[in-house]
Amino acid sequence: MHETLRRLFLEGKLKGPSQKGFDPQQWQATFRQIPSPSTADQRHFEAALWFGEQFNQLRAYFDANPLPPGSPEEVLRRVVGVVNRECLTAINTAQQTLTASQGPVTASDIIEGRITLAGNVNKAPPAQLIESAIDGLRFDLEALQRPRTSLSEFDVPKQLLHLRRRVNFTIAYHILEEEWLECILQGWIVNTADSDTIQLRPGDPESAIARVVSEYRDGMLLQEMNSLARSIFNKHSAVRDRVLRSKVVRWRGPEGTLVLGYPSKQMAFPIYVSRLSATEPDLEPFTQEPLSHRGGLTLLQLVNAWAALASISWDLSSQIPLIDIDNPSQFERFAPLLPMDALISTLSAATELTPSQCETVIDTLTWRTVRDSLWFRPLVKAGDKHRIVVIPALRAPNRVWLRS
């Protein structure tokens, strides 16, 4: 049996359309060499060429909307800051929408709710907006790792427009990449029969429906867990006091000083429920085992350290006002610099880990390449001495250690 295009892609012998080195002619030559191409081969071949064209168009849009001028540190903070601001705006809009609703708010209201940040254009669930913006951010971060051959020569309004457009482009790039993987891994089909409309449809509709139902069920279970945790937290003072007495790292504005402190009442429950989400009872026997690839730290130590750092995200979101933006430099206030020496010393005081162990924790949480998820690595390196926080990602339950 001949090797399918899918297998060649998974083995790294064929570059996908989102990867550097993708060559449509290589796909065409490989496809022609298959003695009897299967229906799946034909679909994968057509999908690769179609997605290749879409990625090329998006790359052209990026080139036409360059990043604003500034030092590498300034541009980095603006790129992260614009995403942080959009995410905080989505969170606030969702909360205001639920607060303004008539009657009790149900789990279905939360899961099925839609908001828009652009006057009823592209309505979507808040979680989807936030996840897409953060997932797409990695592409602009990756672009900043390459030498910049030219700077934007546009005026300030154009620079603002370009920054906001690039957020949309990175979201589109991420979604395209996900859809390509759906085609090559899950059998989705690119239907180009109608030149005016391009359709992506599942090759196995029954399995696709089952996935959607499963995701909805998971969302309902998460809301049920959240409600139960809220009830326990409110009724049992011992549970609540244990969280309030735990030491955490706090961010104090406007100077942005990192200090040792305790959770506020507003952040105590989110920390409690996030920690519940980050751990699983089945892992209990393994939480005390040293992880050689994490400098000998245990899973429990990593989760405790993450919980101590997560409070920074609530401080940032509560202390940074959502001001109107009329200059790209204003996005920097949504991405303040966190000194590494202060991060290490305060984290060590909060967790009783050694400075060396704290440095390992921070390295574990620091984004490296475009293939890293910012949900797993929500700190962005700004030189050797500072980190920047991707605010919603730092507070999200972190499962990178559980997976590894």
Coordinates of all heavy atoms in Angstrom, one line a residue, residues 96-157:
Q96 N -21.1 42.6 31.7 CA -22.2 43.6 31.7 C -23.4 43.1 31.0 O -24.6 43.4 31.4 CB -21.7 44.9 30.9 CG -20.6 45.6 31.6 CD -20.0 46.7 30.8 OE1 -20.4 46.9 29.6 NE2 -18.9 47.3 31.3
T97 N -23.2 42.2 30.0 CA -24.4 41.6 29.3 C -25.2 40.7 30.2 O -26.4 40.7 30.2 CB -23.9 40.9 28.0 OG1 -23.2 41.8 27.2 CG2 -25.1 40.3 27.3
L98 N -24.4 39.9 31.0 CA -25.1 39.0 31.9 C -25.8 39.8 33.0 O -26.9 39.4 33.4 CB -24.1 38.0 32.5 CG -23.5 36.9 31.5 CD1 -22.5 36.1 32.2 CD2 -24.7 36.0 31.0
T99 N -25.1 40.8 33.5 CA -25.7 41.6 34.6 C -27.0 42.3 34.2 O -28.0 42.4 34.9 CB -24.7 42.7 35.1 OG1 -23.5 42.0 35.5 CG2 -25.3 43.5 36.2
A100 N -27.0 42.7 32.9 CA -28.2 43.4 32.4 C -29.4 42.5 32.0 O -30.5 43.0 31.7 CB -27.8 44.3 31.2
S101 N -29.1 41.2 32.0 CA -30.2 40.3 31.6 C -31.3 40.2 32.6 O -31.1 40.4 33.8 CB -29.6 38.9 31.3 OG -29.1 38.4 32.5
Q102 N -32.5 39.9 32.1 CA -33.6 39.8 33.0 C -33.7 38.4 33.6 O -33.6 37.4 32.8 CB -34.9 40.1 32.3 CG -34.9 41.5 31.7 CD -34.9 42.6 32.8 OE1 -35.6 42.4 33.8 NE2 -34.2 43.7 32.5
G103 N -34.0 38.2 34.9 CA -34.1 36.9 35.5 C -32.8 36.3 35.8 O -31.7 36.8 35.6
P104 N -32.9 35.0 36.3 CA -31.6 34.3 36.7 C -30.8 34.0 35.5 O -31.3 33.7 34.4 CB -32.2 33.1 37.4 CG -33.6 32.9 36.8 CD -34.1 34.2 36.6
V105 N -29.5 33.9 35.7 CA -28.6 33.5 34.6 C -28.3 32.0 34.7 O -27.9 31.5 35.8 CB -27.2 34.3 34.7 CG1 -26.2 33.8 33.7 CG2 -27.5 35.8 34.6
T106 N -28.5 31.3 33.6 CA -28.3 29.9 33.6 C -27.0 29.5 33.0 O -26.4 30.4 32.4 CB -29.5 29.2 32.8 OG1 -29.4 29.6 31.5 CG2 -30.8 29.6 33.4
A107 N -26.6 28.3 33.1 CA -25.4 27.8 32.5 C -25.5 27.9 31.0 O -24.5 28.3 30.3 CB -25.1 26.3 32.9
S108 N -26.7 27.7 30.4 CA -26.8 27.8 29.0 C -26.6 29.3 28.5 O -26.1 29.5 27.5 CB -28.2 27.3 28.6 OG -28.4 26.0 28.8
D109 N -27.1 30.2 29.4 CA -26.9 31.6 29.0 C -25.4 32.0 28.9 O -25.0 32.7 28.0 CB -27.5 32.5 30.1 CG -29.0 32.5 30.2 OD1 -29.6 32.2 29.1 OD2 -29.6 32.6 31.2
I110 N -24.6 31.4 29.8 CA -23.2 31.6 29.8 C -22.5 31.0 28.6 O -21.7 31.6 27.9 CB -22.5 31.1 31.1 CG1 -23.1 31.9 32.3 CG2 -21.0 31.3 31.1 CD1 -22.7 31.4 33.7
I111 N -22.9 29.7 28.3 CA -22.2 29.0 27.2 C -22.7 29.5 25.9 O -21.8 29.7 25.0 CB -22.5 27.5 27.4 CG1 -21.9 26.9 28.6 CG2 -22.0 26.7 26.1 CD1 -22.3 25.5 28.9
E112 N -23.9 29.9 25.7 CA -24.5 30.2 24.4 C -24.5 31.7 24.2 O -24.8 32.2 23.1 CB -25.9 29.7 24.3 CG -26.0 28.2 24.4 CD -27.5 27.7 24.4 OE1 -28.4 28.5 24.1 OE2 -27.7 26.5 24.7
G113 N -24.1 32.5 25.2 CA -24.1 34.0 25.0 C -23.1 34.4 23.9 O -22.1 33.8 23.7
R114 N -23.5 35.5 23.2 CA -22.7 36.1 22.2 C -22.5 37.6 22.5 O -23.4 38.2 22.9 CB -23.4 35.9 20.8 CG -23.7 34.5 20.4 CD -22.4 33.8 20.0 NE -22.6 32.5 19.4 CZ -22.8 31.3 20.1 NH1 -22.8 31.4 21.4 NH2 -23.0 30.2 19.5
I115 N -21.3 38.0 22.2 CA -21.0 39.5 22.3 C -20.3 39.9 21.0 O -19.9 39.1 20.2 CB -20.2 39.8 23.5 CG1 -18.8 39.2 23.3 CG2 -20.8 39.4 24.8 CD1 -17.8 39.7 24.4
T116 N -20.3 41.2 20.8 CA -19.5 41.8 19.7 C -18.7 43.0 20.2 O -19.2 43.7 21.1 CB -20.5 42.2 18.5 OG1 -19.7 42.8 17.5 CG2 -21.5 43.2 19.0
L117 N -17.6 43.2 19.6 CA -16.8 44.3 19.9 C -16.7 45.3 18.8 O -15.9 46.2 18.8 CB -15.3 43.9 20.3 CG -15.2 42.9 21.4 CD1 -13.8 42.5 21.7 CD2 -15.8 43.4 22.7
A118 N -17.6 45.1 17.8 CA -17.5 46.0 16.6 C -18.9 46.2 16.0 O -19.1 46.0 14.8 CB -16.6 45.3 15.5
G119 N -19.8 46.6 16.9 CA -21.1 47.1 16.4 C -21.9 46.0 15.7 O -22.3 46.1 14.5
N120 N -22.1 44.8 16.3 CA -22.9 43.7 15.8 C -22.2 43.0 14.6 O -22.9 42.4 13.8 CB -24.3 44.2 15.4 CG -25.1 44.5 16.6 OD1 -25.0 43.9 17.7 ND2 -25.9 45.5 16.5
V121 N -20.9 43.2 14.4 CA -20.2 42.5 13.4 C -19.4 41.3 14.1 O -18.8 41.5 15.1 CB -19.1 43.4 12.7 CG1 -18.3 42.7 11.7 CG2 -19.9 44.6 12.1
N122 N -19.5 40.1 13.5 CA -18.8 39.0 14.0 C -19.1 38.7 15.4 O -18.3 38.7 16.3 CB -17.3 39.1 13.8 CG -16.9 39.2 12.3 OD1 -17.6 38.6 11.5 ND2 -15.9 39.9 12.0
K123 N -20.4 38.5 15.7 CA -20.8 38.0 17.1 C -20.2 36.7 17.4 O -20.2 35.8 16.5 CB -22.3 38.0 17.2 CG -22.9 39.4 17.5 CD -24.4 39.2 17.9 CE -25.0 40.5 18.4 NZ -26.4 40.4 18.8
A124 N -19.8 36.5 18.6 CA -19.2 35.2 19.0 C -19.2 35.1 20.5 O -19.4 36.1 21.2 CB -17.7 35.1 18.5
P125 N -19.1 33.8 21.0 CA -19.0 33.7 22.5 C -17.8 34.4 23.0 O -16.7 34.4 22.3 CB -18.9 32.1 22.6 CG -19.5 31.6 21.4 CD -19.1 32.5 20.3
P126 N -17.9 35.0 24.2 CA -16.7 35.7 24.7 C -15.5 34.8 24.8 O -14.4 35.2 24.5 CB -17.2 36.1 26.1 CG -18.7 36.1 26.0 CD -19.0 35.1 25.1
A127 N -15.6 33.5 25.3 CA -14.5 32.6 25.4 C -13.8 32.4 24.0 O -12.6 32.3 23.9 CB -14.9 31.3 26.0
Q128 N -14.6 32.3 23.0 CA -14.1 32.1 21.6 C -13.3 33.3 21.2 O -12.2 33.2 20.6 CB -15.2 31.8 20.6 CG -14.7 31.3 19.3 CD -15.9 30.9 18.4 OE1 -16.4 31.8 17.7 NE2 -16.3 29.7 18.4
L129 N -13.8 34.5 21.5 CA -13.1 35.8 21.1 C -11.7 35.8 21.8 O -10.7 36.1 21.2 CB -13.9 37.0 21.5 CG -15.1 37.3 20.6 CD1 -15.9 38.4 21.2 CD2 -14.7 37.6 19.2
I130 N -11.8 35.5 23.1 CA -10.5 35.6 23.9 C -9.5 34.5 23.5 O -8.3 34.8 23.3 CB -10.9 35.5 25.4 CG1 -11.7 36.7 25.9 CG2 -9.6 35.4 26.3 CD1 -12.4 36.5 27.2
E131 N -10.0 33.3 23.4 CA -9.1 32.2 23.0 C -8.5 32.5 21.6 O -7.3 32.3 21.4 CB -9.9 30.9 23.0 CG -10.3 30.4 24.3 CD -11.2 29.2 24.3 OE1 -11.4 28.7 23.2 OE2 -11.7 28.8 25.3
S132 N -9.3 33.0 20.7 CA -8.7 33.2 19.3 C -7.7 34.3 19.3 O -6.6 34.2 18.7 CB -9.9 33.6 18.4 OG -10.8 32.5 18.2
A133 N -7.9 35.4 20.1 CA -7.0 36.5 20.1 C -5.7 36.0 20.7 O -4.6 36.4 20.2 CB -7.6 37.7 20.9
I134 N -5.7 35.3 21.8 CA -4.5 34.8 22.5 C -3.8 33.7 21.6 O -2.6 33.7 21.5 CB -4.8 34.3 23.9 CG1 -5.2 35.5 24.7 CG2 -3.6 33.6 24.5 CD1 -5.6 35.1 26.1
D135 N -4.6 32.8 21.0 CA -3.9 31.8 20.2 C -3.2 32.5 19.0 O -2.2 32.0 18.5 CB -5.0 30.8 19.6 CG -5.4 29.9 20.7 OD1 -4.6 29.6 21.6 OD2 -6.6 29.4 20.7
G136 N -3.8 33.6 18.4 CA -3.2 34.2 17.3 C -2.0 35.1 17.6 O -1.2 35.3 16.8
L137 N -2.0 35.5 18.9 CA -0.8 36.4 19.3 C 0.5 35.8 19.0 O 1.5 36.5 18.7 CB -1.0 36.7 20.8 CG 0.2 37.5 21.5 CD1 0.4 38.9 20.8 CD2 -0.1 37.7 23.0
R138 N 0.6 34.5 19.1 CA 1.9 33.8 18.9 C 2.5 34.1 17.5 O 3.8 34.1 17.4 CB 1.8 32.3 19.1 CG 0.8 31.6 18.1 CD 0.5 30.2 18.6 NE -0.6 29.6 17.8 CZ -0.3 28.8 16.8 NH1 0.9 28.4 16.5 NH2 -1.3 28.3 16.1
F139 N 1.7 34.4 16.5 CA 2.2 34.7 15.2 C 2.9 36.1 15.1 O 4.0 36.2 14.5 CB 1.1 34.6 14.1 CG 0.5 33.3 14.0 CD1 -0.8 33.0 14.4 CD2 1.3 32.2 13.5 CE1 -1.3 31.8 14.4 CE2 0.7 30.9 13.4 CZ -0.6 30.7 13.8
D140 N 2.3 37.1 15.8 CA 3.0 38.4 15.9 C 4.3 38.3 16.8 O 5.3 38.9 16.5 CB 2.1 39.5 16.4 CG 1.6 40.4 15.3 OD1 2.1 40.3 14.2 OD2 0.7 41.2 15.6
L141 N 4.2 37.5 17.8 CA 5.4 37.3 18.7 C 6.5 36.6 17.9 O 7.7 37.0 18.0 CB 5.1 36.5 19.9 CG 4.1 37.1 20.9 CD1 3.9 36.1 22.1 CD2 4.7 38.4 21.5
E142 N 6.1 35.7 17.0 CA 7.1 35.0 16.2 C 7.7 36.0 15.2 O 8.9 36.0 14.9 CB 6.5 33.8 15.5 CG 7.4 32.9 14.8 CD 7.7 33.2 13.4 OE1 6.9 34.0 12.8 OE2 8.7 32.8 12.8
A143 N 6.9 36.9 14.7 CA 7.4 37.9 13.7 C 8.4 38.8 14.3 O 9.4 39.2 13.7 CB 6.2 38.7 13.1
L144 N 8.2 39.1 15.6 CA 9.1 40.0 16.3 C 10.5 39.3 16.6 O 11.4 40.0 17.0 CB 8.5 40.5 17.6 CG 7.3 41.5 17.5 CD1 6.7 41.8 18.8 CD2 7.9 42.8 16.9
Q145 N 10.5 38.0 16.5 CA 11.8 37.3 16.7 C 12.7 37.4 15.5 O 13.9 37.2 15.6 CB 11.5 35.8 17.1 CG 10.9 35.6 18.4 CD 10.7 34.1 18.7 OE1 10.5 33.3 17.8 NE2 10.7 33.7 20.0
R146 N 12.1 37.8 14.4 CA 12.9 37.9 13.2 C 13.4 39.4 13.0 O 12.8 40.3 13.5 CB 12.1 37.6 11.9 CG 11.5 36.1 11.9 CD 11.0 35.8 10.6 NE 9.9 36.6 10.2 CZ 8.6 36.4 10.4 NH1 8.2 35.2 11.0 NH2 7.6 37.2 10.0
P147 N 14.5 39.6 12.4 CA 15.0 41.0 12.1 C 14.0 41.8 11.4 O 13.4 41.3 10.4 CB 16.3 40.8 11.3 CG 16.7 39.3 11.6 CD 15.4 38.6 11.8
R148 N 13.7 43.0 11.8 CA 12.8 43.9 11.1 C 13.6 44.7 10.1 O 14.4 45.5 10.4 CB 12.1 44.8 12.1 CG 11.3 44.0 13.1 CD 10.6 44.9 14.2 NE 9.7 45.8 13.6 CZ 9.2 46.9 14.2 NH1 9.6 47.2 15.4 NH2 8.2 47.6 13.6
T149 N 13.2 44.5 8.8 CA 13.9 45.2 7.8 C 13.4 46.6 7.5 O 14.1 47.4 6.9 CB 13.8 44.4 6.5 OG1 12.5 44.2 6.1 CG2 14.5 43.0 6.6
S150 N 12.2 46.9 7.9 CA 11.6 48.2 7.7 C 10.6 48.5 8.8 O 10.1 47.7 9.5 CB 10.9 48.2 6.4 OG 9.8 47.3 6.4
L151 N 10.5 49.8 9.1 CA 9.5 50.3 10.1 C 8.4 51.0 9.4 O 8.5 51.5 8.3 CB 10.3 51.3 11.0 CG 11.4 50.7 11.8 CD1 12.1 51.9 12.6 CD2 10.9 49.6 12.8
S152 N 7.2 51.0 10.1 CA 6.1 51.7 9.6 C 6.3 53.2 9.5 O 6.9 53.8 10.4 CB 4.9 51.5 10.5 OG 3.8 52.3 10.1
E153 N 6.0 53.8 8.3 CA 6.2 55.2 8.1 C 4.8 55.9 8.1 O 4.7 57.1 7.7 CB 6.9 55.5 6.8 CG 8.3 54.9 6.8 CD 9.0 55.1 5.5 OE1 8.4 55.7 4.5 OE2 10.2 54.8 5.4
F154 N 3.8 55.2 8.6 CA 2.4 55.8 8.6 C 2.2 56.7 9.8 O 2.9 56.6 10.8 CB 1.4 54.7 8.6 CG 1.4 53.8 7.3 CD1 2.1 52.6 7.3 CD2 0.8 54.3 6.2 CE1 2.1 51.9 6.1 CE2 0.8 53.5 5.0 CZ 1.5 52.3 5.0
D155 N 1.2 57.5 9.7 CA 0.9 58.4 10.9 C 0.3 57.6 12.0 O 0.0 56.4 11.8 CB 0.0 59.6 10.4 CG -1.3 59.1 9.8 OD1 -1.7 57.9 10.0 OD2 -2.0 59.9 9.1
V156 N 0.0 58.2 13.2 CA -0.5 57.5 14.3 C -1.8 56.8 14.1 O -2.0 55.7 14.5 CB -0.5 58.5 15.5 CG1 -1.3 57.9 16.7 CG2 0.9 58.9 16.0
P157 N -2.8 57.5 13.5 CA -4.1 56.8 13.3 C -3.9 55.5 12.4 O -4.5 54.5 12.7 CB -4.9 57.8 12.5 CG -4.4 59.1 13.0 CD -2.9 58.9 13.1

